[in-house]
Amino acid sequence: AQCMPTAAMVLDAMAPMYGLLGWDPWSFQAVSHNEDRTVAAIKQYTRWGVSDVYFLAIHFGKAEVVNSEVKRFLPRGCAVLNGQVLRDVDHVIKVIGFDGDFGVDRLMHSKTHVGPWPDGDFRRWVISDQSAIDASRFGNIALSPPNTLYAHMTLWYNQHPPDATRALESGLLPTNKSEPELGSPAYHYSPRVGTAWVVVLVGCSPELMSISAVNSKFKQDSMLHLADADRFVKACEEDWFNYCRMFKEQGADVPWPEYPLPADKA
């Protein structure tokens, strides 16, 4: 995004969807904010539920969110630490998260990264998507815009070694070491530190700054060309009611909620 939405704007935009379930996203543990809710930050180690089927499955009674941990399993059930006993449990999926691939560190013969460069060697480039959220602004929710910038950045610094040397000698690039006990290789940065090296490398080259501006505008223009706000919301609304129809066919006898995001909010 050329003008990145703040976390407060994101939370306000999502409030109608969470309100459908009687939830207030501003009260979530991952959210910190000021008293009048004009400034916020979101920090957590998983992505939060934002899909239509997530909200509608809970609304129609097809899903339930229980914030607790399993204490012990019972025949077709389990007791959880908050005192509840969950019944009619036929399947359990244990989600253990992600560990980075330490084979990449071994391939690069590195234990430390300087920005995206193994041992500070700008001729080699290793990038990993960040596995957590820690932000007060959100520039994108897809990988294609930053990946386009990374491709330009990789080529630029390979073709312009003096710029790479200047970035390294500035002392501004963060370093990162592997943490095997956390499943985190050297190339895997926390969100804020990972964003920091991108800012430094873009800032060290005026040419990359101009590419970044063009890239952001291209993404925005292409989206608006394919689907302006009215067309986009109309398609989303149709999908919303397709899910409602699906749950009704499965026997859910609950009133269909209106689509909660009007075009003027898109």
Side-chain angles (χ1 to χ4, degrees):
Q2 290 178 279
C3 183
M4 295 189 293
T6 64
M9 293 171 65
V10 172
L11 290 165
D12 282 339
M14 295 299 297
M17 281 70 99
Y18 285 107
L20 175 66
L21 310 177
W23 298 351
D24 176 13
W26 285 89
S27 66
F28 290 172
Q29 185 178 3
V31 177
S32 57
H33 58 84
N34 62 352
E35 188 174 352
D36 57 1
R37 296 188 172 187
T38 56
V39 178
I42 301 174
K43 182 177 182 179
Q44 63 183 60
Y45 294 102
T46 58
R47 309 297 172 106
W48 67 93
V50 293
S51 61
D52 288 354
V53 69
Y54 173 79
F55 295 110
L56 288 172
I58 297 172
H59 173 78
F60 283 102
K62 296 295 184 179
E64 180 185 359
V65 176
V66 178
N67 288 311
S68 190
E69 297 179 32
V70 174
K71 183 178 181 181
R72 65 179 179 275
F73 283 101
L74 308 169
R76 294 195 69 240
C78 65
V80 293
L81 291 181
N82 67 3
Q84 286 182 268
V85 176
L86 307 182
R87 303 292 186 184
D88 300 325
V89 176
D90 293 316
H91 305 281
V92 175
I93 301 173
K94 184 176 181 180
V95 182
I96 60 174
F98 297 94
D99 279 353
D101 184 359
F102 286 88
V104 177
D105 284 354
R106 290 192 293 272
L107 177 66
M108 292 293 168
H109 298 281
S110 64
K111 293 184 178 180
T112 302
H113 262 238
V114 183
W117 299 327
D119 294 324
D121 181 358
F122 63 84
R123 297 167 298 178
R124 295 178 289 156
W125 192 285
V126 182
I127 297 174
S128 166
D129 189 24
Q130 295 153 9
S131 58
I133 299 170
D134 184 0
S136 54
R137 286 184 176 272
F138 292 86
N140 60 75
I141 56 171
L143 283 175
S144 57
N147 280 351
T148 305
L149 175 61
Y150 295 154
H152 282 294
M153 199 183 291
T154 305
L155 180 63
W156 181 267
Y157 281 108
N158 269 282
Q159 293 179 336
H160 300 82
D163 285 1
T165 301
R166 185 168 62 253
L168 287 165
E169 291 178 347
S170 72
L172 297 175
L173 281 172
T175 59
N176 198 53
K177 294 184 179 295
S178 64
E179 297 179 283
E181 68 280 3
L182 299 179
S184 181
Y187 62 81
H188 179 256
Y189 281 88
S190 63
R192 288 187 181 269
V193 180
T195 301
W197 71 250
V198 176
V199 172
V200 171
L201 290 186
V202 171
C204 283
S205 168
E207 292 82 1
L208 284 174
M209 293 180 70
S210 63
I211 289 172
S212 180
V214 170
N215 186 46
S216 295
K217 189 174 188 306
F218 174 76
K219 178 67 175 178
Q220 183 184 43
D221 289 347
S222 63
M223 287 293 295
L224 292 176
H225 174 73
L226 293 170
D228 58 27
D230 289 328
R231 288 179 62 194
F232 179 77
V233 170
K234 185 174 184 294
C236 291
E237 189 173 13
E238 290 175 358
D239 210 33
W240 177 270
F241 289 118
N242 281 337
Y243 282 123
C244 292
R245 194 172 297 109
M246 178 187 73
F247 287 125
K248 181 181 179 181
E249 291 170 354
Q250 294 176 0
D253 186 19
V254 178
W256 292 13
E258 293 297 319
Y259 184 65
L261 183 64
D264 62 349
K265 295 289 186 183

